[in-house]
Amino acid sequence: MIEVENLYKKFGKHPVIQGISMTIPPSEICCLLGPSGSGKTTLIRLMIGVIVGDEGTVKIDDVNMPNLSMLGDIGFMPQNDALYDDLSAEDNLRFFGGLQQMKKAALEARMNDVLALVDLTAHRKKMVRDFSGGMKKRLSLAASILHSPKILFLDEPTVGIDPVLKRTIWNQFQELKHAGTTIIVSTHVMDEVTECDKAALIYNGRLIAYDAVTALLAETTSGKVEELFIMASEKEGARL
């Protein structure tokens, strides 16, 4: 379980996260939805402990973050691929597995599993510099789940990929969820919300709505996410 309580973060004098509180249950997919610059990436970085909030707390399984002891339980797929172009796909995975101190035999077996999951087995010896953008996305996903994390953070994982590959990737997220992984995924693509169990709508660093996706959509007349976001942002504007 992830618990965020009254979280604030500024960069200089600019407030980026403003009083966000939310609880994300285990084994669910939670979507962080908002336009570019709304604070989604900063919120993820605060949750995993890469940066520290000015006020408030983040707890993962009752452990205050940041905490190095939690790194083995967390997987992170950044928006920009953090891969080494001059290494092959499998050597990239060996590098990231080494960072997680995985034993050689376990690492090699797990590499086979994750490469198969993202449909890159046939390309495992290819240099990453020769990969397409979609292949790099899939390899980044493989690297983030290599150590079988309990919680997976995905920052805009489907940006710039075609609809067919997007469907494949979301199918993979659903498989991970059913295997018990908690997934937090940020996006500005409205139709991806319906793939998730819960949605957190973020606007100007504020949490303007958070609930089960079905409950949120039930508040609209059209059943569309676009209407939901407009309604929530108008309410937030009136409150301010």
Side-chain angles (χ1 to χ4, degrees), residues 29-153:
I29 301 178
C30 176
C31 171
L32 307 180
L33 176 68
S36 297
S38 60
K40 303 185 301 296
T41 295
T42 299
L43 180 56
I44 286 179
R45 294 175 70 199
L46 287 163
M47 286 181 179
I48 64 179
V50 173
I51 57 175
V52 180
D54 300 321
E55 297 180 39
T57 60
V58 176
K59 290 184 179 181
I60 296 180
D61 293 338
D62 290 325
V63 176
N64 284 308
M65 299 297 289
N67 192 307
L68 291 176
S69 69
M70 296 300 295
L71 291 182
D73 292 333
I74 294 172
F76 175 46
M77 179 180 171
Q79 182 174 349
N80 298 317
D81 302 314
L83 301 170
Y84 292 92
D85 284 346
D86 55 346
L87 295 178
S88 67
E90 62 181 13
D91 282 341
N92 265 275
L93 294 181
R94 288 192 181 99
F95 172 77
F96 289 113
L99 293 180
Q100 292 291 341
Q101 299 182 331
M102 297 179 68
K103 301 294 185 182
K104 183 177 180 180
L107 172 57
E108 294 297 321
R110 182 62 178 158
M111 279 172 49
N112 293 335
D113 292 340
V114 297
L115 285 168
L117 178 66
V118 299
D119 196 24
L120 287 176
T121 300
H123 305 282
R124 62 187 300 155
K125 296 188 180 299
K126 184 181 292 187
M127 303 298 282
V128 169
R129 62 171 170 263
D130 297 323
F131 274 23
S132 67
M135 291 169 71
K136 287 182 177 180
K137 285 286 186 186
R138 285 183 281 157
L139 184 58
S140 291
L141 176 59
S144 69
I145 63 175
L146 184 63
H147 59 296
S148 302
K150 294 195 300 183
I151 302 172
L152 182 59
F153 292 88

Side-chain angles (χ1 to χ4, degrees), residues 211-228:
D211 206 339
V213 172
T214 51
L216 289 171
L217 292 178
E219 298 178 11
T220 68
T221 56
S222 65
K224 294 183 178 180
V225 178
E226 290 86 347
E227 181 188 349
L228 171 65

Side-chain angles (χ1 to χ4, degrees), residues 20-35:
I20 288 182
S21 296
M22 59 191 297
T23 298
I24 302 173
S27 303
E28 289 192 357
I29 301 178
C30 176
C31 171
L32 307 180
L33 176 68

